[in-house]
Amino acid sequence: MYAVKQPAIDALKSTAAVDRRVNGSGNYIRVGKARVPSSGTRVYRHGSVRAVISGGDKASVEAATPLQSKGVNGLSSSSSSSSVGGEIQVKAVVTIRKKMKEKIIEKIEDQWEFFVNGIGQGIRIQLISEQVDPVTNAGKSVQSAVRGWLPKPVPLEYANIVEYAADFKVPSDFGCPGAIMVSNLQGKEFYLLEIVIHGFDGGPIFFPANTWIHSRKDNPESRIIFKNQACLPAQTPPGLKDLRHEDLLSIRGNGKGTRKEHDRIYDYEIYNELGNPDKSEDLARPVLGGEERPYPRRCRTGRPPTKTDSLTESRIEKPHPVYVPRDETFEEIKQNAFSTGRLKALLHNLIPSLAVTLSSTDNPFECFSDIDDLYVDGVLMKWKEEEKKEGKKLFLGSMVKEVFSAGERWLKYEIPAVIKMDRFSWLRDNEFARQTLAGVNPVNIEILKEFPILSKLDPAVYGPPKSAITKELLEQEINGMSVDKAIEEKRLFILDHHDTYMPFIERMNALPGRKAYASRTVFFHTPTGIMRPIAIELSLPPTASSPQTKRVYTHGHHATTHWIWKLAKAHVCSNDAGIHQLVNHWLRTHASVEPYIIATHRQLSSMHPIYKLLHPHMRYTFEINALARQSLINGGGIIEASFSPGKYAMEVSSAAYKDMWRFDMEALPADLLRRGMAVEDPSAPCGVKLVIEDYPYAADGLLVWSAIKEWVESYVEHYYSEPNSVTSDIELQEWWSEIKNKGHEDKRNEPWWPKLNTKEDLSGILTTIIWVASGQHAAINFGQYPFGGYVPNRPAIMRKLIPQEDDPDYEKFISNPQQTFLSSLATKLQATKIMAVQDTLSTHSPDEEYLGQVNPLESHWINDNEVMKLFNRFSDRLKEIEHTINLRNKDSHLKNRSGAGIPPYELLLPTSGPGVTGRGIPNSISI
């Protein structure tokens, strides 16, 4: 009789004790107030989880505790194990999570599986010792079949958790078990939560799995599950060395063949699946990845090339799934089904239905009340019958609601946070400027270091590099202060998208319904702490007839110049929205992190402490990226339809990767220094001091960065305390080499890659990776609907250039400037599409795992008490940060995050509830 803590049920437990029969005997004993079956079954109780495992009429119940950090060295001689003739009786408890079942036939299949497992014909496990068998020169091993019986019906919330047991006779000199080989003899896969071994010194030994176990008919190889003892390669027990290497080899694959759904293979591929030339010539897209168009690598699927273009990989179109390694798919518990079902419903049902509803009358908004109607009345939907059921998934915890009125279905949007307290805030210059510091894209504003402003583009192609913004013009706008003085006092700032867009403007403007400029905006930070825009330059490529194509706009005080200024700001926002989505959001978080994840699985054993550190920060990223390549960033996808660059969107992203992406600059302090938004200050917590104290993204971000850095440094110090332990770690060195040379292959020769020689080097690299996957992604993702949900505030697309006096439409502009402004924005169909996408991408699912939290199903992720103390300190620090941010949002001196009608800056608050909340830092890029 042995005891074990049961983490796998934590997320599903209730206050009532639940009993479950495994062997069908029907005999129960009393434990406290709960009946306990007399064989092979657990009792789950609220609070402290307890377990019963018994082989006869007697049972022992005790609260289980995790192993101590140094592990187990031998067999137990206590009453919790029995010894017969030099053999020890030990028991394995195997916890499985079943798929959610709806169809009767699937439930019947479940009953058959229970029966097969019950008689020991479904799952076989092999216990591997840390000690080497001198005969085989491999780890000592014993094998047993997993057994059980039909379970007693239980409440619905426990219905998909099943437990079985396996008994072993272990030689007394077996040593400590360090791995388990699992063979699935059934016809289909199952999800293994954990295996717990009882009967050895120190209490139960945990083997956390949280993995899909493939059927032997799909792959004859057994799966290897290691216990929760982290160790560096050189510290690997002799009996596990071969298994550690073998497991990594199975994950890497051989780089050949088409990946199958059950595969757990991680490999690299270029972005050659965005286009679909077989469907239409207009859907052909260039390959990203290589010297001409460099890009990070994605996960390889191995699909054959298209018939039309041998360089383009054939596509899997919705609703069929794109391959990701099996354990990277979304989990099936109810909470996760919400997030995936809703996203798929958006892509497969809502967007097509919006097109059907509005395509025949896809007109621009005629007045601002038309936009207000989206929040007051909604859009009358023409759902197809088969779309109704799937479409309902969208409206759970969403800012988009389905409303019934007079028998009709309406799609109603919630009022975005940016106008919820002040409907007219978007019109003000100071709000336009404030959002560069506290909006959804606060990472492009930079200090103006020198004058004149110069382009780095080829003047032979794009004209004179000097900006049309002059000193005289700026000095008129800053009350006579000289530009030199303003630069010296760090009062001039710039939002410069000129060089990013200019190479694409001519092609973009040739697309139907698209008109854009390459923009520069100069801001002045007043002595009272207010940022305000003072000049906007909008440029077009030079032509033979018009070599001078740069126009500068200022606020002005006349009605005409006032409206033109509004149009100029709208074009700046459209530029910024494209850069935000294609560069700062997709490229710098989603796309750049995917190679880190691939390398982590390929080169770091699941036993490796750095693997264990990074594992929570990899959750769901593969699946969400695959969905994005399938329906968002693909040729003809939603991003192309909704943002100004159109079909050139991913080429813009590639150009930005080529010109500006640097791993070393993805660290928050380094990025702030590069943009001149901070200066070095050794006395500051992160070594930098902000130039603008009231910079909410940076101020809160540095708090989160410092907490991550402290946690990572203490973790690394714990495992790499010996000299040369970093350079001698062969897995770690291969991991970093592969990130540089395969994951970011097109940047492999850059001199700025950090070295990996010391624990300080390692801590810096890991802090950057974790920051990008957590805080950075949260800051630029979860504000998409709160700021972009009101089209005039942040138009993703512009359809007209600003009318000039010699234009035919100029008189129309003079007579009805509001109509000219609104007709320049997205149409109703374009607007409602992008609003629906922004809403979904801004949503937290109920099962979100936030920074500083541990998945209840993985509470035994490591058995090191010292590490758990360090992690708890990290969690406590994040709670303090949340309190600090809340206090900042109430500080009336911080005008960029408080004041009449100004929403508080909450994007970097660590925790959140589900839905569109505008706050919360998930561990990983999960949406």
Side-chain angles (χ1 to χ4, degrees):
M1 55 210 80
Y2 314 102
V4 58
K5 187 175 178 181
Q6 168 57 5
I9 206 69
D10 286 356
L12 303 171
K13 64 191 177 184
S14 71
T15 55
V18 178
D19 55 31
R20 183 178 302 171
R21 182 169 57 214
V22 171
N23 68 354
S25 67
N27 297 320
Y28 289 83
I29 62 173
R30 179 71 59 180
V31 180
K33 296 182 179 180
R35 290 191 307 162
V36 179
S38 61
S39 65
T41 302
R42 300 186 182 187
V43 175
Y44 305 108
R45 310 180 70 175
H46 186 64
S48 177
V49 181
R50 303 171 75 83
V52 177
I53 300 173
S54 174
D57 295 333
K58 297 181 180 180
S60 168
V61 181
E62 58 177 312
T65 58
L67 294 176
Q68 299 301 311
S69 62
K70 297 303 180 183
V72 181
N73 295 316
L75 296 168
S76 172
S77 59
S78 69
S79 61
S80 62
S81 66
S82 58
S83 177
V84 180
E87 291 183 333
I88 303 296
Q89 296 284 344
V90 299
K91 185 180 289 289
V93 177
V94 180
T95 305
I96 294 171
R97 188 183 70 214
K98 305 296 294 181
K99 292 183 180 180
M100 306 300 291
K101 303 296 183 182
E102 294 182 358
K103 299 177 181 178
I104 293 177
I105 186 65
E106 291 176 327
K107 294 180 180 179
I108 294 174
E109 290 175 356
D110 268 358
Q111 298 301 315
W112 173 249
E113 287 179 28
F114 291 141
F115 175 77
V116 170
N117 290 334
I119 61 174
Q121 298 299 310
I123 305 170
R124 185 176 299 135
I125 63 176
Q126 189 176 0
L127 200 60
I128 310 296
S129 171
E130 294 179 348
Q131 296 182 7
V132 172
D133 186 330
V135 176
T136 64
N137 204 30
K140 298 175 182 178
S141 68
V142 291
Q143 183 172 286
S144 178
V146 172
R147 297 181 181 274
W149 204 254
L150 297 176
K152 178 182 176 181
V154 294
L156 182 61
E157 60 266 35
Y158 306 112
N160 65 330
I161 300 293
V162 182
E163 292 175 355
Y164 301 101
D167 294 306
F168 293 90
K169 290 183 179 179
V170 180
S172 57
D173 63 348
F174 184 78
C176 178
I180 295 176
M181 307 274 284
V182 182
S183 298
N184 177 7
L185 311 181
Q186 305 170 61
K188 57 183 181 180
E189 66 183 3
F190 65 86
Y191 192 85
L192 178 64
L193 286 171
E194 70 172 357
I195 300 174
V196 186
I197 305 296
H198 307 272
F200 291 89
D201 275 344
I205 304 175
F206 294 93
F207 293 77
N210 296 287
T211 184
W212 289 99
I213 306 296
H214 58 259
S215 168
R216 194 168 62 173
K217 75 172 187 178
D218 292 325
N219 183 346
E221 300 297 325
S222 299
R223 281 293 308 281
I224 304 168
I225 309 298
F226 295 105
K227 72 175 182 180
N228 62 344
Q229 179 75 47
C231 64
L232 300 177
Q235 300 166 345
T236 308
L240 305 182
K241 286 183 177 180
D242 288 346
L243 287 182
R244 182 169 184 153
H245 182 62
E246 180 183 326
D247 191 44
L248 286 174
L249 289 179
S250 70
I251 289 171
R252 293 171 194 163
N254 60 12
K256 301 177 181 178
T258 301
R259 296 286 170 255
K260 298 178 177 60
E261 183 181 0
H262 66 267
D263 283 340
R264 192 176 61 105
I265 297 175
Y266 297 76
D267 205 352
Y268 300 93
E269 185 59 275
I270 55 179
Y271 274 61
N272 60 354
E273 62 170 350
L274 299 178
N276 192 349
D278 286 353
K279 185 175 183 180
S280 167
E281 184 179 344
D282 191 53
L283 291 178
R285 295 293 181 269
V287 170
L288 303 185
E291 185 176 350
E292 184 179 358
R293 295 183 181 89
Y295 216 62
R297 299 304 190 253
R298 64 173 175 91
C299 185
R300 180 183 181 275
T301 64
R303 296 193 302 270
T306 60
K307 298 175 182 178
T308 310
D309 180 7
S310 62
L311 297 179
T312 299
E313 185 174 277
S314 57
R315 288 181 55 78
I316 298 293
E317 299 292 357
K318 58 187 182 184
H320 303 291
V322 177
Y323 168 79
V324 295
R326 187 63 183 97
D327 288 340
E328 302 297 334
T329 57
F330 293 116
E331 296 177 12
E332 273 201 327
I333 61 175
K334 297 175 186 177
Q335 295 93 334
N336 295 335
F338 157 78
S339 68
T340 61
R342 184 161 165 253
L343 181 59
K344 290 178 180 177
L346 168 82
L347 300 175
H348 305 159
N349 298 282
L350 178 61
I351 297 299
S353 296
L354 280 170
V356 170
T357 301
L358 296 173
S359 59
S360 60
T361 57
D362 186 18
N363 298 319
F365 295 105
E366 294 183 359
C367 57
F368 286 100
S369 60
D370 283 354
I371 301 175
D372 295 341
D373 285 344
L374 294 174
Y375 318 111
V376 178
D377 297 325
V379 179
L380 178 61
M381 297 299 296
K382 297 178 181 178
W383 291 104
K384 294 180 181 179
E385 196 61 38
E386 64 269 18
E387 293 170 343
K388 291 180 180 179
K389 182 178 179 181
E390 285 296 309
K392 287 181 181 293
K393 294 179 182 177
L394 281 161
F395 309 110
L396 302 172
S398 171
M399 299 297 282
V400 184
K401 306 294 182 184
E402 187 181 36
V403 180
F404 293 90
S405 176
E408 297 176 327
R409 293 170 180 264
W410 294 76
L411 187 69
K412 184 178 177 181
Y413 292 83
E414 291 292 319
I415 298 174
V418 71
I419 60 165
K420 199 163 192 175
M421 294 189 290
D422 184 352
R423 184 61 62 91
F424 304 106
S425 64
W426 67 277
L427 285 166
R428 294 195 296 271
D429 283 356
N430 60 348
E431 177 62 18
F432 172 79
R434 188 189 74 86
Q435 289 182 30
T436 66
L437 302 170
V440 71
N441 189 41
V443 297
N444 280 109
I445 188 72
E446 56 187 311
I447 201 164
L448 186 60
K449 298 177 182 178
E450 55 187 10
F451 208 87
I453 303 166
L454 299 174
S455 169
K456 296 178 182 178
L457 298 175
D458 184 355
V461 178
Y462 300 106
K466 187 176 179 180
S467 168
I469 299 175
T470 65
K471 277 189 175 183
E472 292 74 21
L473 184 144
L474 292 182
E475 288 170 356
Q476 290 176 11
E477 298 296 322
I478 57 177
N479 303 320
M481 178 186 285
S482 72
V483 168
D484 292 339
K485 182 70 170 175
I487 289 176
E488 181 186 343
E489 294 185 2
K490 300 185 185 324
R491 295 199 178 278
L492 289 179
F493 297 82
I494 187 170
L495 189 65
D496 193 346
H497 297 315
H498 178 278
D499 286 7
T500 303
Y501 274 107
M502 183 56 77
F504 297 93
I505 291 294
E506 186 174 358
R507 285 177 286 168
M508 287 165 53
N509 287 349
L511 297 172
R514 310 287 173 113
K515 288 294 181 281
Y517 300 94
S519 70
R520 289 189 180 104
T521 308
V522 177
F523 299 85
F524 181 66
H525 191 237
T526 70
T528 59
I530 301 296
M531 185 87 96
R532 63 182 181 89
I534 56 176
I536 293 174
E537 179 189 67
L538 300 179
S539 302
L540 295 171
T543 63
S545 60
S546 181
Q548 179 61 18
T549 55
K550 302 173 183 176
R551 294 182 183 271
V552 179
Y553 301 91
T554 57
H555 180 90
H557 301 286
H558 186 268
T560 301
T561 56
H562 191 67
W563 273 104
I564 290 177
W565 177 247
K566 284 184 175 63
L567 284 166
K569 288 195 297 180
H571 275 281
V572 171
C573 287
S574 179
N575 266 200
D576 197 59
I579 295 297
H580 163 259
Q581 197 66 264
L582 301 170
V583 179
N584 298 326
H585 183 205
W586 173 258
L587 168 64
R588 293 177 63 187
T589 62
H590 286 261
S592 293
V593 165
E594 188 162 344
Y596 309 153
I597 299 174
I598 298 174
T600 299
H601 283 283
R602 284 170 53 87
Q603 297 299 338
L604 299 181
S605 166
S606 59
M607 303 172 70
H608 201 290
I610 302 306
Y611 177 94
K612 292 182 179 296
L613 175 70
L614 290 177
H615 186 259
H617 306 289
M618 304 187 291
R619 186 181 189 230
Y620 292 166
T621 303
F622 270 44
E623 179 88 351
I624 198 65
N625 283 6
L627 282 170
R629 287 191 294 268
Q630 187 180 45
S631 299
L632 293 177
I633 64 171
N634 60 302
I638 293 170
I639 297 300
E640 287 191 0
S642 304
F643 289 84
S644 288
K647 66 188 293 183
Y648 306 106
M650 291 304 291
E651 292 184 62
V652 171
S653 188
S654 171
Y657 179 70
K658 180 178 183 179
D659 295 337
M660 55 75 63
W661 189 88
R662 293 177 49 160
F663 179 88
D664 60 330
M665 292 295 130
E666 294 303 295
L668 178 58
D671 174 60
L672 293 171
L673 290 171
R674 172 173 65 171
R675 293 189 284 119
M677 300 303 292
V679 294
E680 292 185 356
D681 182 355
S683 66
C686 295
V688 298
K689 178 182 178 182
L690 294 178
V691 171
I692 298 177
E693 180 186 358
D694 188 13
Y695 184 1
Y697 157 76
D700 295 356
L702 287 173
L703 291 178
V704 176
W705 169 273
S706 64
I708 295 172
K709 182 173 181 285
E710 180 183 342
W711 153 238
V712 169
E713 286 177 344
S714 61
Y715 186 94
V716 167
E717 173 64 32
H718 181 71
Y719 287 103
Y720 292 91
S721 57
E722 298 297 322
N724 303 319
S725 53
V726 170
T727 53
S728 63
D729 186 336
I730 55 175
E731 287 183 5
L732 187 71
Q733 292 298 325
E734 285 300 315
W735 168 77
W736 185 232
S737 175
E738 189 165 289
I739 286 175
K740 296 183 294 182
N741 295 309
K742 289 188 176 181
H744 287 272
E745 181 177 342
D746 302 327
K747 296 275 190 174
R748 64 189 180 280
N749 295 322
E750 296 289 352
W752 40 253
W753 284 103
K755 305 295 183 184
L756 183 51
N757 296 324
T758 67
K759 58 189 176 185
E760 289 78 18
D761 296 338
L762 177 58
S763 296
I765 290 167
L766 294 171
T767 301
T768 297
I769 290 174
I770 294 172
W771 160 255
V772 170
S774 57
Q776 179 73 349
H777 179 259
I780 59 180
N781 181 74
F782 292 103
Q784 290 192 73
Y785 187 83
F787 286 97
Y790 186 68
V791 177
N793 178 67
R794 194 167 178 78
I797 191 171
M798 294 294 285
R799 301 190 306 120
K800 293 182 179 180
L801 298 176
I802 296 176
Q804 305 301 319
E805 291 187 16
D806 55 352
D807 291 343
D809 289 340
Y810 188 77
E811 288 302 319
K812 292 182 181 178
F813 162 65
I814 294 298
S815 62
N816 192 343
Q818 175 181 278
Q819 195 278 331
T820 298
F821 180 86
L822 291 173
S823 65
S824 299
L825 306 181
T827 64
K828 291 180 181 179
L829 174 58
Q830 290 170 328
T832 51
K833 267 188 183 182
I834 192 60
M835 288 166 68
V837 173
Q838 288 171 333
D839 164 70
T840 298
L841 298 182
S842 302
T843 299
H844 292 292
S845 63
D847 74 320
E848 196 85 86
E849 295 172 15
Y850 296 98
L851 197 62
Q853 298 179 359
V854 174
N855 185 334
L857 299 180
E858 299 183 11
S859 59
H860 290 136
W861 66 284
I862 203 164
N863 69 350
D864 194 315
N865 287 336
E866 181 62 29
V867 168
M868 291 310 301
K869 290 178 183 177
L870 297 174
F871 182 80
N872 290 335
R873 188 169 70 190
F874 174 52
S875 299
D876 291 341
R877 177 69 184 119
L878 289 169
K879 293 174 185 176
E880 295 172 4
I881 289 172
E882 186 148 328
H883 178 68
T884 300
I885 293 174
N886 286 328
L887 290 178
R888 287 175 173 177
N889 286 331
K890 296 176 182 178
D891 187 342
S892 60
H893 295 97
L894 301 176
K895 298 180 175 63
N896 288 322
R897 60 198 311 156
S898 65
I902 294 177
Y905 187 77
E906 297 181 329
L907 288 169
L908 286 169
L909 282 172
T911 62
S912 172
V916 180
T917 63
R919 57 176 288 170
I921 305 176
N923 271 324
S924 62
I925 301 169
S926 57
I927 188 65

